[in-house]
Amino acid sequence: MRMTSHSRKLTRNVLTVGLALSLALAAGCSKSEDDGSDSNSSKSSNEEANKQVAEGDGGKPCLIDDYGAKKLDLKKATVGFSQSEKEANPFRIAETASIKAEARKRGVKLLTANAQSQFSKQISDVQDLIAKGADLLVIAPLNSDGWEPVLRSARAKKIPIVTVDRKINAKPCQDYVSFIGSDFVKQGERAADELVKATKGKGDVAILLGTAGNNVTTQRTKGFEDRIKEKAPDLKVVFKQTGEFTREKGQSVTENLIQSKPGIKGIYAENDEMGLGAVNALKSAGKKPGDVKIVTVDGTRKAVQGIVDGWISGVIESNPRFGPLAFATFDTFTQGKPVGQDIVIKDSQYTSQNAKSDLSKAY
């Protein structure tokens, strides 16, 4: 199907308006899967956060005819959701809660699975969701590669797939419909800007890398390093090691860092959990708040509290509230209307200026 530039603009505007209406009605997600545990004030702040979700029109459009699937009524469909990681991480807790809350709000049957941070299990999980009759799939991939068996199975049954948070290395509007996630390069750039401010652009800094094998780590690193080279040539990255996106590993890596690079001035942690591990290591080493400047990415409440307490200089949010946008995308797509292939979720930012006042907005 060929579309004129006028048609593309019109259909993208329809999608943007549709998503905005859906998101404006979105219920906030809590810090746990028990949605009844939030106070009214906490619900209000999370609802406000959910309204600020989509940035842009999603780029190149995808239509159901191009994908080869059939129209269906979302309210009568079964959606399968595959979570990649153990839900000890607040990001994953909020992500799953958002998907569940939106399915419940829309009255859509939802099947869920958690891979417990094991990629082979995630592949079998998704195959199982397909076998159980999922008409649509939302996947939070653990890794970007290795999805061919799932894509073959989904393609055989013409099941539309939306990936959230991490991309898979496959073709949009052919192997999957859309990716919904943050601009990870931009996150790295924003983190670099904050660390440049905190260190005054001079000294040795370290990077606590995320896990290898996914686009989040690669792009957050690229954005950070390129921006440092551009804006602060006197700020030198002298240490890089994976903390595997976990607090425990972030702490142990930072303990080694302090021993090997005692003059380190700053740490860029590619997620909050590693950053909080770094804080633990610095405390154990007798450091004081602010001795080593730390900038992290995620937006969890404990990390934002770390800014209030003086241990963390800045937190770049990585918004986990994908539920409203994922279901709005499916609703639009299954009606035969175009959706964007690369949908960017809007991220906020926490600094010493707003951390205390905006703490309730963190997840």
Side-chain angles (χ1 to χ4, degrees):
M1 175 181 288
R2 296 181 62 85
M3 300 177 67
T4 66
S5 60
H6 176 74
S7 298
R8 285 196 180 98
K9 183 176 181 180
L10 178 61
T11 51
R12 288 181 186 177
N13 287 339
V14 169
L15 173 58
T16 301
V17 171
L19 291 179
L21 287 172
S22 173
L23 296 171
L25 295 172
C29 64
S30 67
K31 283 189 70 181
S32 70
E33 293 180 17
D34 179 5
D35 294 326
S37 64
D38 274 353
S39 67
N40 289 335
S41 61
S42 185
K43 283 182 180 178
S44 176
S45 63
N46 279 321
E47 286 169 1
E48 185 63 29
N50 265 339
K51 291 179 184 178
Q52 302 172 353
V53 170
E55 267 194 334
D57 58 15
K60 189 175 180 180
C62 180
L63 282 158
I64 199 164
D65 290 342
D66 298 332
Y67 191 78
K70 297 179 180 179
K71 294 181 182 179
L72 57 84
D73 184 348
L74 182 60
K75 291 182 180 179
K76 298 178 181 178
T78 297
V79 176
F81 172 57
S82 169
Q83 177 58 273
S84 57
E85 297 181 14
K86 300 174 182 178
E87 292 188 3
N89 185 328
F91 182 95
R92 298 300 169 186
I93 294 171
E95 182 178 60
T96 297
S98 178
I99 297 291
K100 287 184 174 181
E102 188 66 16
R104 189 161 53 245
K105 188 193 81 168
R106 289 174 175 266
V108 176
K109 182 179 179 181
L110 181 70
L111 305 175
T112 64
N114 191 304
Q116 300 295 314
S117 304
Q118 301 172 45
F119 185 62
S120 60
K121 184 177 185 305
Q122 186 168 36
I123 295 299
S124 62
D125 280 351
V126 180
Q127 298 280 28
D128 188 50
L129 291 171
I130 293 172
K132 287 179 177 177
D135 301 299
L136 304 157
L137 290 169
V138 179
I139 300 174
L142 183 64
N143 295 334
S144 296
D145 293 317
W147 285 95
E148 290 79 7
V150 163
L151 298 178
R152 282 196 300 269
S153 298
R155 193 180 303 116
K157 294 192 175 184
K158 303 185 185 303
I159 298 173
I161 297 172
V162 163
T163 71
V164 295
D165 178 42
R166 295 175 185 171
K167 284 187 177 181
I168 59 175
N169 290 327
K171 293 183 179 180
C173 204
Q174 180 175 321
D175 298 316
Y176 65 95
V177 175
S178 304
F179 162 71
I180 304 173
S182 296
D183 184 331
F184 303 119
V185 172
K186 186 175 180 180
Q187 287 178 342
E189 291 172 348
R190 292 167 70 188
D193 290 342
E194 288 303 305
L195 200 57
V196 169
K197 290 178 188 176
T199 60
K200 296 182 172 56
K202 295 181 179 181
D204 293 344
V205 298
I207 302 177
L208 302 187
L209 301 166
T211 53
N214 66 75
N215 67 306
V216 178
T217 297
T218 302
Q219 293 178 10
R220 282 181 184 168
T221 304
K222 174 177 171 53
F224 181 85
E225 292 187 318
D226 288 352
R227 182 60 66 91
I228 290 294
K229 290 176 183 176
E230 173 193 345
K231 292 188 67 174
D234 292 331
L235 204 61
K236 305 295 184 183
V237 177
V238 297
F239 180 98
K240 289 193 292 185
Q241 189 171 328
T242 179
E244 297 175 0
F245 284 139
T246 69
R247 192 178 305 189
E248 295 77 15
K249 191 64 182 292
Q251 180 170 342
S252 65
V253 169
T254 304
E255 289 169 350
N256 294 335
L257 166 66
I258 295 168
Q259 294 295 321
S260 63
K261 305 287 183 181
I264 203 77
K265 297 298 182 182
I267 296 173
Y268 165 45
E270 292 186 339
N271 82 337
D272 285 356
E273 286 295 288
M274 293 189 296
L276 291 168
V279 170
N280 290 340
L282 293 171
K283 287 180 178 179
S284 297
K287 300 289 186 180
K288 295 178 181 178
D291 282 351
V292 178
K293 310 300 183 183
I294 300 175
V295 174
T296 70
V297 180
D298 263 349
T300 65
R301 196 159 298 189
K302 287 186 177 180
V304 178
Q305 182 64 49
I307 299 177
V308 177
D309 296 339
W311 285 99
I312 295 177
S313 298
V315 175
I316 310 303
E317 185 191 44
S318 194
N319 195 335
R321 302 173 181 95
F322 297 109
L325 193 52
F327 279 87
T329 299
F330 273 145
D331 195 21
T332 302
F333 181 76
T334 55
Q335 291 180 51
K337 300 173 186 177
V339 298
Q341 296 178 19
D342 199 352
I343 300 169
V344 177
I345 196 166
K346 187 171 183 179
D347 298 323
S348 61
Q349 185 167 330
Y350 300 94
T351 66
S352 58
Q353 282 71 45
N354 69 350
K356 191 172 183 178
S357 61
D358 289 354
L359 183 61
S360 63
K361 295 179 182 179
Y363 51 87

